[in-house]
Amino acid sequence: MKHPIQRRDDSRRTTLAHSISTILAGGALLLVGAMASSSAFAQEQATNLDRITVTGSNIPRTNTETPSPVQVVTRQEIDRTGKTTVAEYLQTLTADGSGSIPKTFGNGFAGGGAGISLRGLGAGSTLVLLNGRRMATYGLADDGQKVFTDLSTIPLDAVERIEVLKDGASAIYGSDAIAGVVNIILRSDFNGAILRASYGLSGDSDGDAKKATLTAGTGDLATDGWNAFFSLDVGKTDAIKISDRKDRKWIGTGDIRRYGYGNNAQFLGGAFLNGRTGGGNSPNGSVFDDRAVTATTPAFLVPLPGCQGLTTIPDQTDASIAQNGCLWDPAQLYRDLTPEEKYVNVFGRASFALGEGGEIYTEIGYSKKETTFSNTPSGVSGSWGFPDGPRNASSGPGAVVLSPTHPDNPIQGQASRLRYSAWDVGPRVTNNTNEFNRFLVGVKGNWGEWSYDTAYLHSGTDLTNKRTGFLRYSAVQCALGNPACPGGVWRIGDNAGQNSQALYDYISPDISARAKSSLDMFDFTVSRSLADLKGGPLGLALGTEWRKTSNSLTPQTYTDQGDIIGLGYSAYDGTQNVYAGYVELSAPVLEQLELSGAVRYDKYESGEGKATPKVGIKWTPSDWIAVRGSYAEGFRAPNPAENGDGGLAAFSNARDPVRCAASPIADVGTNCSARPVAIITRPNPDLKPEESKSYSVGLVLQPTSSTSMTIDAWQIKRTNEIAQGATADAIAAGNVLRDTDLINGVAGTGTILAVNTDYINAASTRVRGIDTDIRQTFDIGPGQLEMDLQWSHVLKFERTDSDVTVDYAGTHGNCDVTNCIGTPKDRINFGTTWKQGPWSVSGVANYISKMENTDFRGPDGSYQFSYADGTDVEKISSFTTFDLSGRWNITEAFELNASVQNLFDRIAPLDPTTYGGVNYNPLHFSGAIGRYFTVGAKYTFE
């Protein structure tokens, strides 16, 4: 609890029996109040409410402890972590979970964006507001499906505080608030000027981050009748490559054999698997010898020459290469650990006094951010999807082959199926340039007993996605398989130096896509006190809203033809018009008892409509203790990526029980581990909205003026979930495309290349947990010590699909969710701050609990990865870091500050399953970067 519980005169306490009886009376009063006209109360002079509004309610109140749990994050709490962006800070919250979108996943569908996923229910189910109103979503949908708000467009220095509504859905805000609401509140009235500058550098002397911010304002609304200010935030962060961490154990290499893993490690390139019947891409290349294939004799891989001169992995001999393939480390050579970023964020606000207590206000926001991410070179084979279905460049009639007369074909006279990593083309590089704009104009004030606030908002994004280093399928087939190819003959491996630039331009053209989103919204809210109840004024708020949203993504060049190797198709286009109205009541029926209720109705232009109620109660039997609870219903309407025009072909990791069951003992480690597969999904215009029911019950304690504690148990159940049909179900049903590398000649055991599925309303999820927030302040001598702890514990994370329920709590599931991050049961942040005169020193410990490396809990859950000897990787270890920061006010105007993140240079645990980071989990990102230093200065102009 960040604010004291409202005190009262103990002599006016009522008995518990009286309190309970009044609950019933108060419930009736809520209904009567909702229907009564304001004139019914005109004769009674109601007390005006203090102007304090809290996220989740539009009724001003006298304290911030509502029936719903709201975490208030102050500037001090943000500053002490050393984080320099809103996204970086919010992703450290204990309530954040799987489905959050880190900036480091630059090769994902939503590369360049950053989002928060409360309760692990996905960024698309977490509503992000700016000053209480929506923002246009990021141009690229996460996983090609989930639209979300990009946090990186918000200038941190303009932030006054952040409020997080943690009990799930809100009847005030409508769609998308299933998991909760994050309201980022910026400065509203600023006078003067503040100049900040900072410079960051890792302990390995890389990842330079330069940032400068100017915030300036003038005018006073009370005395001058106006105020205007702006905040300009510019910065640049250099990329860090995987190779920059090659001495940081498993972080800087894809070759983790020294840690007990085998050639099946997902980031080790070039390995032959299953007795040379399958394998990865290598820099020298390899082909299948198909000359002696029978029903029981498969084709075997044969390496091309030149491995020792092209790989960085030493001690490979001709014999080992012939047996195991040319092992190499493409991630270390080409992949970024963090992308290069350049950005400028601008926010401005002006307000003008209007009449008695009225105000005209306007806000503008602009952001431009460019992100560049380098990834490993493309292979010439593989599988991917496009609107007509899956492509198979590995086997069958679509396989990429060396022609029978190609000079690099070791088996002349045979069209040889090829495995080759196009190192000579170079890395696949993705560049995203995103422009965000926001304009708001509104009026608020008083009209008689009513307070009103109305505004028009326009917001939009325009994103250009450019890619280089990708291979055009038809051109590659021609340059390798046709001696008379107009683009020329592509020489590979040792002979790649003979190629011309014209050939590379032919097989690897520059490609691009463009994404746009827009939001237009008009809202109108009024509130007033209706009557004085025993505990305070009865508050009423009424509101209406209209908004129009649109999202569109043109597909990457050639992907609509399935003509870019390994790059799935993603496109969507759609518009939604929504009309909504709501009513809210807050009734302190007794000094000890507050009731609240709200209902909202959203009507979609498509014909769908949804009413979502919310009720809450707070009982304060004593001045130091309060009990609170809430119930709410929520929903999320299908977005254009799910029910519009377009489609999706993506990649995920999945186990293949068919291949696992047929595997020889020697190859169990390979065939029973999760492997990358293409997932092809089509939009569904018949989708229904997701729906949710949320419950919370909590205890608020303040035994002394310097001690506070909140404990809240919560549960969110989401039904009619919009998701891709379960990958495991599609595999079990045989809706897959398989390679020809059969196990012992058994039909239907080839490696899965692609899985076919649709967006459906099928599953439901129930998440249950406990949040604890403890704060203590000590006055010690001349200084003050502040301590706080936030702990989120997940009790259940159950998903039901086709009448089968599995629990992901404490496991590496659900891998159908972004990056296969997993679901740790516990996240804890413990912070301390010592203040004395002009000095302050803060430390924050961040803890993430271990995870079982299974797909779900229980005896039927399967381990997701195996060591070289076939034994299972049973867990991903817990991870703890400590951040230290300090501030020194040299004068009233000049401040120096410094911070060290991951002070003790802890290394992220090895995670072989996730694909969001090379051998580390994105939740443990600071352990991949290592110790990071930031120094800064702040000057305040009078």
Side-chain angles (χ1 to χ4, degrees):
M1 181 179 68
K2 299 174 180 59
H3 301 272
I5 301 171
Q6 194 176 12
R7 306 286 179 169
R8 64 179 192 283
D9 183 357
D10 286 351
S11 64
R12 298 182 63 186
R13 296 180 183 176
T14 62
T15 65
L16 177 59
H18 186 198
S19 299
I20 294 174
S21 65
T22 313
I23 291 176
L24 301 176
L29 183 59
L30 282 173
L31 297 176
V32 173
M35 296 182 290
S37 66
S38 60
S39 61
F41 298 93
Q43 295 177 353
E44 184 173 355
Q45 294 299 314
T47 302
N48 289 328
L49 298 176
D50 292 340
R51 300 297 297 177
I52 301 175
T53 56
V54 180
T55 298
S57 173
N58 276 322
I59 297 177
R61 51 188 294 114
T62 55
N63 64 52
T64 60
E65 287 299 342
T66 70
S68 296
V70 178
Q71 180 179 350
V72 180
V73 179
T74 64
R75 276 307 304 243
Q76 175 184 312
E77 291 178 84
I78 299 173
D79 291 342
R80 71 181 183 180
T81 64
K83 306 298 183 184
T84 57
T85 68
V86 171
E88 288 177 347
Y89 176 79
L90 287 176
Q91 288 173 355
T92 68
L93 295 180
T94 61
D96 185 42
S98 298
S100 64
I101 302 163
K103 71 173 185 178
T104 55
F105 196 34
N107 61 329
F109 273 99
I116 182 174
S117 169
L118 293 177
R119 309 306 186 193
L121 291 173
S125 291
T126 301
L127 179 61
V128 176
L129 306 174
L130 186 65
N131 289 339
R133 290 183 170 94
R134 294 172 181 255
M135 302 164 60
T137 56
Y138 190 54
L140 299 176
D142 183 35
D143 283 344
Q145 175 198 356
K146 313 172 192 79
V147 297
F148 67 98
T149 301
D150 180 21
L151 298 169
S152 61
T153 61
I154 302 169
L156 180 62
D157 203 53
V159 174
E160 180 178 291
R161 68 185 186 278
I162 300 173
E163 296 181 350
V164 183
L165 180 67
K166 299 168 66 175
D167 63 345
S170 169
I172 302 302
Y173 304 118
S175 180
D176 307 328
I178 283 178
V181 180
V182 176
N183 188 10
I184 301 166
I185 300 168
L186 306 185
R187 301 177 189 269
S188 60
D189 190 359
F190 181 76
N191 206 316
I194 299 175
L195 179 64
R196 294 177 184 259
S198 65
Y199 177 76
L201 187 70
S202 79
D204 291 278
S205 300
D206 54 20
D208 302 40
K210 310 173 187 70
K211 179 179 179 180
T213 302
L214 173 63
T215 302
T218 184
D220 183 271
L221 193 63
T223 58
D224 301 326
W226 65 279
N227 174 261
F229 78 94
F230 76 95
S231 179
L232 172 65
D233 182 15
V234 296
K236 180 179 183 297
T237 303
D238 292 342
I240 300 177
K241 305 194 77 65
I242 292 290
S243 58
D244 296 330
R245 295 297 180 271
K246 61 185 177 182
D247 297 324
R248 195 171 175 79
K249 294 187 176 180
W250 48 80
I251 301 299
T253 178
D255 183 8
I256 52 176
R257 292 175 297 161
R258 75 190 81 168
Y259 305 108
Y261 294 84
N263 292 347
N264 64 318
Q266 65 171 313
F267 296 106
L268 176 64
F272 292 167
L273 305 172
N274 290 292
R276 295 190 294 126
T277 63
N281 299 308
S282 60
N284 60 317
S286 58
V287 297
F288 283 94
D289 186 350
D290 292 325
R291 290 174 295 182
V293 174
T294 67
T296 58
T297 304
F300 294 100
L301 280 164
V302 176
L304 276 66
C307 173
Q308 291 94 333
L310 296 171
T311 181
T312 56
I313 297 178
D315 303 325
Q316 298 188 71
T317 65
D318 290 341
S320 69
I321 293 167
Q323 184 64 34
N324 298 315
C326 179
L327 304 181
W328 76 310
D329 199 344
Q332 186 181 84
L333 290 171
Y334 297 98
R335 180 163 168 160
D336 286 341
L337 183 63
T338 64
E340 177 187 81
E341 290 184 334
K342 294 180 285 187
Y343 66 87
V344 54
N345 293 327
V346 181
F347 175 78
R349 191 178 195 278
S351 53
F352 305 89
L354 176 67
E356 185 67 27
E359 179 183 337
I360 299 175
Y361 58 93
T362 184
E363 297 175 0
I364 59 168
Y366 174 80
S367 171
K368 184 175 183 179
K369 179 181 177 183
E370 182 177 352
T371 304
T372 304
F373 186 88
S374 176
N375 202 5
T376 55
S378 175
V380 300
S381 56
S383 61
W384 61 98
F386 75 117
D388 289 347
R391 288 285 196 195
N392 180 6
S394 294
S395 59
V400 171
V401 300
L402 290 178
S403 73
T405 60
H406 192 288
D408 297 320
N409 189 347
I411 309 174
Q412 290 289 302
Q414 168 190 290
S416 302
R417 289 182 290 141
L418 178 65
R419 300 291 182 267
Y420 178 62
S421 180
W423 63 271
D424 51 317
V425 174
R428 289 169 293 174
V429 178
T430 300
N431 178 277
N432 284 326
T433 301
N434 183 48
E435 290 188 82
F436 167 84
N437 64 79
R438 182 176 184 269
F439 171 75
L440 173 76
V441 60
V443 182
K444 62 182 179 180
N446 300 308
W447 182 40
E449 298 295 323
W450 294 91
S451 297
Y452 64 88
D453 189 351
T454 182
Y456 167 75
L457 168 68
H458 172 77
S459 181
T461 63
D462 189 346
L463 182 144
T464 301
N465 175 278
K466 297 180 180 178
R467 303 189 187 220
T468 60
F470 288 76
L471 298 177
R472 188 173 183 186
Y473 178 43
S474 58
V476 167
Q477 285 181 306
C478 179
L480 294 173
N482 181 4
C485 180
V489 174
W490 183 10
R491 302 299 302 274
I492 63 173
D494 241 2
N495 298 310
Q498 301 178 34
N499 296 316
S500 67
Q501 184 60 47
L503 172 80
Y504 289 128
D505 293 341
Y506 174 66
I507 63 174
S508 180
D510 293 350
I511 59 176
S512 65
R514 190 169 184 182
K516 290 187 175 183
S517 71
S518 68
L519 166 67
D520 288 279
M521 187 174 81
F522 172 81
D523 60 50
F524 181 75
T525 300
V526 294
S527 62
R528 63 162 294 167
S529 300
L530 295 177
D532 281 336
L533 305 179
K534 290 186 177 181
L538 171 65
L540 168 70
L542 301 169
T544 186
E545 176 186 307
W546 165 82
R547 70 176 186 272
K548 178 181 179 181
T549 61
S550 66
N551 295 84
S552 65
L553 171 63
T554 60
Q556 285 284 340
T557 316
Y558 304 122
T559 58
D560 55 340
Q561 307 164 31
D563 208 22
I564 298 296
I565 292 176
L567 185 59
Y569 171 85
S570 180
Y572 42 82
D573 187 15
T575 300
Q576 291 178 335
N577 276 282
V578 186
Y579 306 87
Y582 71 87
V583 58
E584 178 189 6
L585 281 166
S586 176
V589 293
L590 301 174
E591 291 189 0
Q592 298 93 345
L593 184 66
E594 176 186 347
L595 301 177
S596 63
V599 63
R600 176 183 173 112
Y601 185 79
D602 289 80
K603 179 68 173 179
Y604 282 76
E605 192 176 39
S606 61
E608 292 284 346
K610 181 64 178 176
T612 49
K614 183 167 187 174
V615 294
I617 181 173
K618 187 179 78 169
W619 178 43
T620 311
S622 180
D623 58 358
W624 60 275
I625 184 172
V627 180
R628 63 187 177 190
S630 66
Y631 167 80
E633 296 180 8
F635 77 106
R636 183 182 75 83
N639 64 57
E642 296 165 331
N643 69 351
D645 297 324
L648 170 68
F651 290 88
S652 185
N653 282 355
R655 290 182 71 256
D656 183 357
V658 173
R659 196 167 174 84
C660 181
S663 178
I665 294 177
D667 295 320
V668 166
T670 296
N671 294 321
C672 291
S673 293
R675 305 292 296 172
V677 297
I679 311 292
I680 301 170
T681 313
R682 298 181 183 276
N684 183 353
D686 297 324
L687 289 173
K688 301 296 183 183
E690 294 181 343
E691 298 180 359
S692 70
K693 294 183 178 181
S694 306
Y695 309 83
S696 75
V697 60
L699 193 65
V700 183
L701 303 172
Q702 190 173 9
T704 72
S705 61
S706 60
T707 306
S708 65
M709 175 188 297
T710 62
I711 303 174
D712 292 282
W714 52 269
Q715 176 179 290
I716 301 172
K717 184 173 182 180
R718 182 172 61 185
T719 56
N720 277 347
E721 286 186 337
I722 301 170
Q724 298 165 339
T727 303
D729 290 347
I731 294 172
N735 295 326
V736 297
L737 173 68
R738 292 184 179 272
D739 205 346
T740 57
D741 55 339
L742 306 180
I743 295 178
N744 296 327
V746 177
T749 60
T751 299
I752 293 176
L753 299 174
V755 176
N756 294 300
T757 185
D758 296 301
Y759 289 124
I760 56 175
N761 291 108
S764 64
T765 297
R766 184 178 64 165
V767 191
R768 182 190 300 166
I770 298 174
D771 287 342
T772 303
D773 192 324
I774 305 173
R775 297 174 183 269
Q776 176 68 57
T777 301
F778 299 96
D779 291 322
I780 304 175
Q784 186 178 72
L785 179 65
E786 299 175 352
M787 306 174 69
D788 62 272
L789 179 144
Q790 295 82 44
W791 174 17
S792 292
H793 176 69
V794 177
L795 294 167
K796 293 283 185 182
F797 199 114
E798 295 178 330
R799 188 170 190 261
T800 301
D801 197 354
S802 302
D803 297 325
V804 176
T805 299
V806 297
D807 186 0
Y808 298 118
T811 74
H812 216 306
N814 176 5
C815 274
D816 287 336
V817 177
T818 302
N819 297 341
C820 197
I821 285 177
T823 311
K825 280 190 172 183
D826 296 286
R827 294 190 66 173
I828 301 174
N829 293 340
F830 175 64
T832 60
T833 299
W834 171 259
K835 298 178 180 178
Q836 182 175 344
W839 295 87
S840 70
V841 179
S842 298
V844 181
N846 309 279
Y847 168 80
I848 300 173
S849 63
K850 69 177 179 67
M851 295 180 287
E852 299 300 320
N853 194 36
T854 56
D855 48 1
F856 54 85
R857 295 177 67 183
D860 295 329
S862 301
Y863 287 105
Q864 295 291 283
F865 219 88
S866 301
Y867 292 105
D869 61 5
T871 60
D872 295 316
V873 180
E874 295 185 357
K875 72 173 184 177
I876 310 301
S877 298
S878 63
F879 186 56
T880 304
T881 59
F882 184 77
D883 302 328
L884 181 68
S885 66
R887 297 179 178 278
W888 177 29
N889 291 100
I890 300 176
T891 68
E892 289 187 0
F894 186 50
E895 174 196 284
L896 293 178
N897 55 76
S899 67
V900 186
Q901 297 182 58
N902 194 0
L903 177 67
F904 301 111
D905 202 24
R906 294 288 307 280
I907 298 177
L910 198 160
D911 185 343
T913 303
T914 183
Y915 54 93
V918 177
N919 301 321
Y920 73 90
N921 195 296
L923 289 173
H924 308 146
F925 170 67
S926 62
I929 294 296
R931 190 181 289 118
Y932 195 88
F933 303 91
T934 302
V935 294
K938 169 186 171 184
Y939 190 84
T940 302
F941 298 88
E942 295 296 336

